[in-house]
Amino acid sequence: MSTIDKNLSSFLDIATDSDFSIHNLPYGIFSDSIDGKRRAGIAIGEQVLDLSVLEAEGLLSLDGGPYFDQNTLNAFIDSGRDNWSKARKTIQTLLSSDCDTLRDNTDLQQIALFQQSDVTMHLPVQVPGFTDFYSSKEHATNVGTMFRDPSNALLPNWTEMPVGYNGRASTVIVSGTDVIRPSGQLKPNADDRPIFSPCKRLDFELETAFVVGKGNNIGQPIAVDNAIDHIFGMVLLNDWSARDIQKWEYVPLGPFNAKTFASEVSPWIVTMEALAPFKMPCPTQEPKPLAYLNEKNSNNSYDIHLSVELLPENAEEATVVCETNFKYMYWSMAQQLTHHTITGCKVEVGDMMGSGTISGPMPDSYGSMLEIAWNATKPVTLQGGETRSFIEDGDTVIMKGYSEKDGIRVGFGEVRGKVLPALTFDFDK
């Protein structure tokens, strides 16, 4: 279990409000040009430390390696928890102010350290499978209140299991990738046939996702009290949503095209070891979960501050439209993973599993425009005077997240995506 060592400091100049302190050390895949060679790095302050250089110099030697001169982190993650811990300890030591190996070697620094502003970030893992849960009670209640009987906002199964669906791993994209407005079937009028049209109610969903670090065999569920050992780390997730496409298609089988066009993640994976000092209990679960979901350890959630900013095209500044916290999540990541595998479903290293929209108890903590503007009945006024009920072409959505305790900050950076106009189709050709 990781603890905060306040005396640990880096020889690098790192701002006190940096997400990427020496206590964090998140992993990512970068290149020093758009089409350049991809390899693994960690974020430290405003820089990236090239792990492939450390490995080549014999400063980062792990069992079964090399792992870091590769274009994904899958092999390293698959190598196991002992290597994760050894890598973290070694990198932390090399970056510390007490170690002269990197501190006093300017030649090594020149080839191993890059400014984050000078590199291109890539999807950190090859994603075999993507699953999205629906685990915020506040969010589920808000949506149920809008579209069903407010006194029965939650469906009967919601408090019994972590509800989810299997999405498309092929459209998991990294922060900074533009999102083309999707088109599909809409049904504006209940008495008319549907039409084909660009989505008119494009939305963000403020989420996190965990990255599976250890798989299972088909037919063998992962026990809830062991599930956290199967999770490598977390990213921020904007699980873009086409609300009007979904409204027409989701009965009877749930989300489909409304959720397949883009699931955008932050480029840095923050490890569970870095997040361990920020653990806290989940909200009280009533009724008590069935035995296979009943965790012995009550500290099964995390204190992670989350926010969403909306930046219209050509606007001078972004508007914060949401501030919330991961701690509001009703179902834990361990419960989600266990429920996912309880039938014997096989999960694999690199799989990503979204939390579902994270909403808090107050209107300014709702994690989607659907809720913030309450189904377009309460438009949001932005800096500069524009209003929004949903996301318009040219808008950029920026999500941020961090944990902080005793003056120590461990953050995710951001996930940022700009919306481009829908493609045009000529169906006569």
Side-chain angles (χ1 to χ4, degrees), residues 51-61 101 105 107-108 111-112:
L51 299 183
S52 71
V53 170
L54 298 186
E55 200 169 44
E57 294 289 325
L59 300 174
L60 182 57
S61 180
T101 304
N105 190 335
D107 290 339
L108 181 57
I111 62 173

Side-chain angles (χ1 to χ4, degrees), residues 320-396:
V320 177
V321 296
C322 165
E323 291 183 284
T324 188
N325 197 296
F326 183 84
K327 68 183 180 182
Y328 296 122
M329 296 302 293
Y330 185 88
W331 294 104
S332 73
M333 291 183 287
Q335 289 172 320
Q336 290 171 337
L337 183 55
T338 289
H339 183 66
H340 200 323
T341 64
I342 197 62
T343 58
C345 172
K346 178 178 171 60
V347 297
E348 299 181 279
V349 169
D351 280 355
M352 285 191 180
M353 301 197 182
S355 61
T357 303
I358 302 170
S359 292
M362 304 302 293
D364 61 358
S365 65
Y366 295 165
S368 67
M369 286 301 293
L370 176 68
E371 297 165 271
I372 296 168
W374 206 255
N375 198 24
T377 63
K378 300 176 181 179
V380 176
T381 301
L382 307 179
Q383 303 286 346
E386 293 186 55
T387 61
R388 290 290 185 276
S389 293
F390 289 97
I391 306 304
E392 297 185 6
D393 292 348
D395 288 350
T396 297

